[in-house]
Amino acid sequence: MKHYPGILLLALGLFPLSTFAQLTNGGINAYFGVDGDTRNNYVKYGPSTGLIASDDWFSSSISGKNIIDTSNASIYLSGLQAGANMGFNKRMSVPLYSKINGKLWLDAVYGRDYIASNSLVDSTAFTIASKNGDNPSNWMGGPKSFPDKDDLVDVFAHMRRDGVNVHDSLWFFTGVSTVGTTGSRYFDIELYKNNFSYNSSTGVFTSAGLDAGHTQWKFDASGNIIQTGDMIVAVNFTPGIAPVVDVRIWVSQTTFGTVTPAYFNFGPNFDGATPAFGYASILSKAGATNFGSGISNYSLTPAQDTTYSTPWGTENSSKIWATQYQSLQFIEVGLNLTRIGVDPALYTAYGLSACQSLFSDIFFKSRASNSFVSDMHDFVTPLQFLRTPVMDYSLRPDTLRCNRPIGTIQITNNTTIGNYSWQTLSGNISSSNTDSSQININKPGTYIVSASAAQGCPATRKDTVIIPIDTLRPVASIFAAIGPNYSYLQFYGGDTIASNRPTPFGGSKGLLWNWSGPAAFSSTIQNPVTDTVWGTYRLIVTEKRNGCKDTAVKTLSYYDFAVLAGRYLRLSGTLANNSIFLKWQDLDQSNTNFYIIEKSLDGIEFNKIGTVYNSDNPDPGASKFFSFTDYHPNYGDNFYRIQSIAKDGHASYSNIFKLTADLTNQEKFYLIRSYTGNGVALVANTDKEYKGTLVLYNIAGQLLQTKNIQLNKGLNKVELPMKDDLKNSVIIVSLLINNQPTFTQKTIL
C-alpha cells in the first residue's frame, strides 16, 4: 500500500499510541462491565471485582438481563459439542432502543466464526493479500488456515447511551475471543456507514460506500462534523497490559490535510489504497473524561481460569469445545464515543441528528501484526449493526363500556422500543405506564400518539385512535301474575326483544337476571315463581356485552290483585276420555277481544294451541265462562294458561293450570296445525324411544321427501317439511318405525 505526501507510517510496535493512555485497565462504564468476562452482575477482572450490579453479554441468573439473545441456545450447544464447525449470529435480546436500568440500549450483535483447526478449515478468511484502507471490492474471501492467534471464535458488539436521552454519552462495547491464547493478537472492528456485505458463494465483498468503497466523514470550515462515515477500531493486545486501541475514521486526504476537527485532532497516520481517501487516526484533545477501558481475562494460574464463555460454549486452544475461556483468550474494550468526539449528538447545531443511524454494518477481522496495514487473515461475515430504527409497533385500541369505565390503548413494540407522546382532542387520559406504551382512558374520543426512536428524537410516526363507548342499556320490566287462591306469585321479567337492538358493537350477547324482594327472595332466572309475599320487588337486568344495567321496581299488595279481581281469569280443567277440558271465567270480559290458549310440557316454554273469540257483547261488569278441549294431552304433566287480549291490544295472563294425565287407549299418532300457526305437525305419543322415518307423497303416490326423526318417550311434535310450492296441496304423510308403516294420513298443507 502506498502512503502519500505528508504522511509517515510507523509500525504500531514503535508508536504505542500514547494519546490513548486514557484507556483504563477494565471497569464499569455506563453500567456495562468491561471485565474480561461475559456475565452480568459480576465483575471478574479490573479495579473492582465480585458481585457488582452491571450489565454484560449474558445473564448468570434469572433476574439478570442478558444483552445477547440466547434463544435456541441448546441447539447450538449440542452441535458445537458434537464437533460441528458452524458459524451463526445472534441479535440483541430486546428490541432496539430499549430502556433498561436507566440506559438506552441502541443495538447489539454476536457472531460465532468458523474455526481453522486441522481438517476443519475456516471458510471465512482472506485468500489474497488484503489490507485495511483497501477498497473492499478488491478483497477476496474463502477457505484458508492461519495461526491460531489470528483465528476468531466469538465476537461481540453493543452500543448504548449512558442514560435514556439521545444526548447522553454514547458508548461502544466490543469483545473478541481467539483460538490461540499466547502472544500478541491484532484485530479490527470496522463499522460501515452504508451497507456492506459478503457473498460466501463468490467470495466477493460489496460496499455501498461511494468514496473508494467507503463513506467519508465531512466537516465544515470550523471543524464540525456535518456527515458521518466509516470508522475502524484497531486493537493491539499484548498479554499483561490493557489493549491498545487506534480509532480511525475514513476521510479524504484534503480533509486530513486542511481540517482541524472541533472535538478531536487528527493523528499522524493516514492509510488508504488511493491518494484520495484513507483511514486517519484521531487523537484526544485535552480533557478529563476517560476514553474508556479495556482488559482481557488473566489468571495467575491459567489452568484454574473460570471465565464463563457463552451459553453454547466456545473453542479452546486445544481445538476442542469448552464451557469456559482459557486465560487471555477473551479481550474486551469499551469506548466513550462522545468523549472521542464522533457522537452525532455533539453536532446537532450543524445539521447532524442525535437520532440518526450512525452505522449499518460491523465487520470483525484479524491482522498478522501490529501494523495497521499488515495482511488481514480471518474475518466474521459482516453483521447488521445500528441500522435505522423503524417504528413498527402495533396498536390495540379499546371500547369503553358500563363494566369497563377505564380502558387502555396498548402499544406492542416489535423491532424497536419507541418513545411515545400522547394527546387527545375530545377524550381524557387518566394515567399511563412509565414509557407511555400504554395509556389509561376514561372518556371516548380521539387520541393521537407520536412515536420517536428515543427521548429527544423527532417523531417519525403518528397514529390516530378513536375510542368508542358502548353504554346502551337493556330493557327491564316486571309483570306479575298470581296463582289460584293467591297461592303463589309468577313473575315475568325483562324484555329480550327490546334489549336486542342493533348497535355498532353487535346485538345482545344475552341478559343476566337479578331478582330481589321481601322474605329474602332472590333469583337469577327470567321468570321466577315465589310464595305470595307482599312487598317491593326489584329486577336488575344486565347486558352481557357491555355490563350495562336497567332496573325495574314493582310493589305488590293484596289490594292490587283485589282491584283486578273483576278482570281476573280463573283457569281450571278436568281429564275425561283421554282429553283435557279447560274452562275459565272472566269476571269482566266486556273489554276482551279474544283468548289465546297456551300449553307447555315443562311449565316454562308455552306454545299456542288454540284461540277462543269473545263474540258476545255483554254489559260492563258481566261475567262469562269459556272453554277449550285439548284432545291430545301428553302423558304426565300438562301446563296451560290463558292469554287475554283486550280490544286495545293489552295482554294479561291467567294463572298457570297443571294437570297430570294418566292416559289409556289414547290415539298415539295424529296431525295438528303447528303451534306456530304455520304448517302441519305430526304428534306422536310413544311409550319408549324410537328412530323413525317421515315420508311425504303427493296424491298420485310420488315420493316428495323423507326425513329421519328421533322419537323420545312421551309426547313428540315433528314439524312437516314445508316447501313454498306445496302450500295448499294435498299430501299423504306416512310414519315408518323399524321400517314398518305405523301411521298414514292425508292432509292439506
Side-chain angles (χ1 to χ4, degrees):
M1 179 179 297
K2 294 181 179 180
H3 307 284
Y4 297 95
I7 302 169
L8 173 64
L9 174 66
L10 298 177
L12 291 181
L14 301 177
F15 186 74
L17 302 177
S18 60
T19 50
F20 281 82
Q22 298 98 325
L23 205 63
T24 60
N25 190 30
I28 296 178
N29 306 122
Y31 202 68
F32 184 95
V34 180
D35 62 336
D37 185 83
T38 63
R39 293 173 293 177
N40 68 349
N41 295 327
Y42 173 75
V43 178
K44 190 171 182 66
Y45 302 102
S48 301
T49 60
L51 298 174
I52 302 175
S54 57
D55 294 331
D56 218 315
W57 306 111
F58 300 111
S59 174
S60 57
S61 65
I62 295 177
S63 61
K65 193 66 180 179
N66 49 294
I67 290 175
I68 299 300
D69 172 33
T70 58
S71 60
N72 300 319
S74 60
I75 297 176
Y76 301 120
L77 174 63
S78 60
L80 293 171
Q81 278 183 315
N85 189 14
M86 64 171 67
F88 59 91
N89 62 78
K90 303 291 287 182
R91 306 301 308 173
M92 191 160 66
S93 62
V94 294
L96 305 179
Y97 285 72
S98 290
K99 305 171 189 68
I100 299 175
N101 294 328
K103 310 300 177 185
L104 187 62
W105 292 18
L106 303 182
D107 199 2
V109 69
Y110 162 86
R112 162 78 184 207
D113 191 33
Y114 297 95
I115 307 301
S117 54
N118 299 327
S119 60
L120 300 177
V121 176
D122 194 323
S123 62
T124 53
F126 293 98
T127 58
I128 63 173
S130 304
K131 305 178 187 302
N132 285 325
D134 288 345
N135 188 322
S137 63
N138 295 325
W139 296 337
M140 183 61 65
K144 190 178 180 181
S145 294
F146 34 76
D148 290 346
K149 71 181 186 68
D150 301 334
D151 196 357
L152 304 176
V153 182
D154 305 301
V155 297
F156 304 80
H158 172 50
M159 198 169 288
R160 64 170 55 189
R161 293 278 180 182
D162 191 12
V164 296
N165 193 291
V166 290
H167 295 282
D168 292 319
S169 293
L170 181 64
W171 280 82
F172 173 62
F173 299 97
T174 185
V176 170
S177 72
T178 58
V179 173
T181 60
T182 60
S184 298
R185 273 155 281 167
Y186 317 99
F187 55 87
D188 308 313
I189 303 97
E190 193 167 13
L191 298 118
Y192 285 81
K193 171 70 176 179
N194 293 307
N195 292 353
F196 175 68
S197 61
Y198 171 69
N199 188 323
S200 59
S201 299
T202 63
V204 173
F205 292 87
T206 302
S207 170
L210 301 178
D211 307 313
H214 294 272
T215 302
Q216 65 171 312
W217 295 66
K218 293 182 179 180
F219 299 78
D220 65 13
S222 299
N224 297 298
I225 296 173
I226 57 174
Q227 175 183 295
T228 60
D230 296 353
M231 183 176 80
I232 191 168
V233 178
V235 180
N236 299 339
F237 172 69
T238 299
I241 63 173
V244 176
V245 174
D246 181 11
V247 179
R248 299 191 182 202
I249 61 174
W250 190 261
V251 294
S252 69
Q253 186 167 357
T254 300
T255 295
F256 179 71
T258 62
V259 172
T260 300
Y263 286 93
F264 55 85
N265 294 321
F266 283 126
N269 298 327
F270 178 94
D271 292 291
T274 70
F277 298 98
Y279 270 122
S281 58
I282 58 177
L283 309 177
S284 170
K285 289 184 182 289
T289 306
N290 288 330
F291 263 29
S293 57
I295 200 170
S296 71
N297 65 316
Y298 171 72
S299 175
L300 293 176
T301 309
Q304 297 179 5
D305 195 307
T306 57
T307 303
Y308 180 74
S309 61
T310 74
W312 37 83
T314 190
E315 190 90 3
N316 65 20
S317 60
S318 299
K319 311 294 177 67
I320 59 175
W321 177 87
T323 59
Q324 299 173 345
Y325 287 129
Q326 294 173 286
S327 185
L328 300 174
Q329 188 175 10
F330 181 57
I331 303 154
E332 204 167 25
V333 171
L335 296 175
N336 186 339
L337 299 186
T338 304
R339 174 67 184 85
I340 293 173
V342 294
D343 180 0
L346 298 171
Y347 305 95
T348 55
Y350 308 101
L352 291 189
S353 169
C355 310
Q356 71 181 66
S357 177
L358 189 54
F359 304 108
S360 68
D361 295 279
I362 190 168
F363 188 38
F364 290 85
K365 54 191 187 298
S366 62
R367 283 178 281 116
S369 73
N370 65 350
S371 171
F372 182 76
V373 292
S374 61
D375 285 343
M376 298 186 297
H377 284 174
D378 192 18
F379 68 84
V380 177
T381 299
L383 304 169
Q384 289 187 6
F385 186 62
L386 290 175
R387 294 198 173 182
T388 302
V390 178
M391 296 293 101
D392 55 352
Y393 58 83
S394 57
L395 276 169
R396 187 185 68 189
D398 207 344
T399 297
L400 298 180
R401 305 183 294 273
C402 293
N403 58 359
R404 190 173 175 80
I406 299 178
T408 62
I409 304 177
Q410 177 69 54
I411 289 176
T412 300
N413 298 297
N414 293 315
T415 64
T416 304
I417 297 291
N419 184 71
Y420 305 105
S421 174
W422 292 87
Q423 60 178 316
T424 178
L425 302 179
S426 53
N428 183 64
I429 300 173
S430 58
S431 62
S432 67
N433 62 357
T434 55
D435 66 354
S436 295
S437 62
Q438 176 182 303
I439 61 170
N440 299 320
I441 54 176
N442 56 17
K443 186 179 179 182
T446 300
Y447 296 82
I448 301 172
V449 58
S450 300
S452 62
Q455 184 179 341
C457 292
T460 57
R461 176 177 169 182
K462 182 178 288 188
D463 288 286
T464 299
V465 182
I466 297 177
I467 299 298
I469 187 168
D470 177 11
T471 54
L472 187 65
R473 298 189 302 170
V475 178
S477 60
I478 296 177
F479 174 77
I482 196 164
N485 301 318
Y486 295 81
S487 58
Y488 61 85
L489 289 172
Q490 169 73 62
F491 288 103
Y492 302 93
D495 192 330
T496 56
I497 296 177
S499 299
N500 189 22
R501 288 163 285 181
T503 75
F505 314 99
S508 173
K509 299 298 183 183
L511 303 176
L512 299 175
W513 318 90
N514 184 10
W515 290 87
S516 61
F521 167 70
S522 66
S523 179
T524 57
I525 65 174
Q526 181 180 4
N527 303 319
V529 175
T530 186
D531 294 336
T532 305
V533 179
W534 309 122
T536 299
Y537 290 84
R538 179 186 301 270
L539 170 62
I540 300 175
V541 179
T542 303
E543 168 58 53
K544 292 181 179 180
R545 186 191 70 244
N546 58 17
C548 295
K549 304 175 185 295
D550 190 30
T551 302
V553 178
K554 191 175 186 67
T555 300
L556 301 177
S557 69
Y558 169 81
Y559 299 101
D560 294 322
F561 290 95
V563 171
L564 293 175
R567 275 289 295 119
Y568 186 61
L569 301 176
R570 299 175 179 176
L571 175 65
S572 61
T574 57
L575 174 67
N577 299 321
N578 291 325
S579 298
I580 293 179
F581 178 74
L582 300 172
K583 67 177 181 178
W584 63 95
Q585 182 182 17
D586 191 343
L587 300 182
D588 183 5
Q589 37 76 39
S590 61
N591 191 42
T592 301
N593 190 12
F594 59 90
Y595 303 92
I596 297 174
I597 299 87
E598 296 181 354
K599 178 179 179 180
S600 171
L601 303 181
D602 56 9
I604 298 175
E605 182 180 351
F606 284 83
N607 293 289
K608 174 184 174 182
I609 62 171
T611 302
V612 173
Y613 287 90
N614 183 15
S615 57
D616 295 338
N617 294 303
D619 296 330
S623 64
K624 184 178 180 180
F625 285 95
F626 298 87
S627 64
F628 180 85
T629 301
D630 180 7
Y631 293 102
H632 306 293
N634 182 40
Y635 288 107
D637 293 341
N638 295 263
F639 298 85
Y640 300 92
R641 70 183 182 191
I642 304 299
Q643 184 181 178
S644 172
I645 306 299
K647 294 177 181 178
D648 61 2
H650 178 74
S652 59
Y653 285 91
S654 72
N655 59 298
I656 296 175
F657 172 71
K658 171 186 171 184
L659 193 151
T660 301
D662 184 11
L663 305 174
T664 58
N665 300 319
Q666 188 196 31
E667 185 179 6
K668 291 187 176 182
F669 305 100
Y670 51 90
L671 297 176
I672 63 169
R673 280 287 160 189
S674 172
Y675 291 163
T676 63
N678 297 317
V680 177
L682 170 69
V683 177
N685 270 303
T686 58
D687 56 355
K688 62 180 181 179
E689 292 186 354
Y690 292 100
K691 290 185 178 180
T693 303
L694 193 63
V695 185
L696 306 183
Y697 304 91
N698 63 16
I699 197 66
Q702 294 175 324
L703 177 65
L704 298 176
Q705 193 169 354
T706 62
K707 179 181 180 181
N708 293 324
I709 60 174
Q710 174 67 43
L711 300 177
N712 298 315
K713 181 180 179 180
L715 184 68
N716 299 267
K717 181 170 67 68
V718 182
E719 302 281 349
L720 298 189
M722 185 71 174
K723 294 184 178 180
D724 292 340
D725 58 352
L726 294 178
K727 285 184 179 180
N728 301 318
S729 299
V730 177
I731 64 169
I732 299 172
V733 181
S734 181
L735 174 65
L736 282 70
I737 296 179
N738 296 329
N739 294 321
Q740 298 296 320
T742 304
F743 167 82
T744 301
Q745 183 176 324
K746 289 182 183 178
T747 186
I748 298 176
L749 292 178

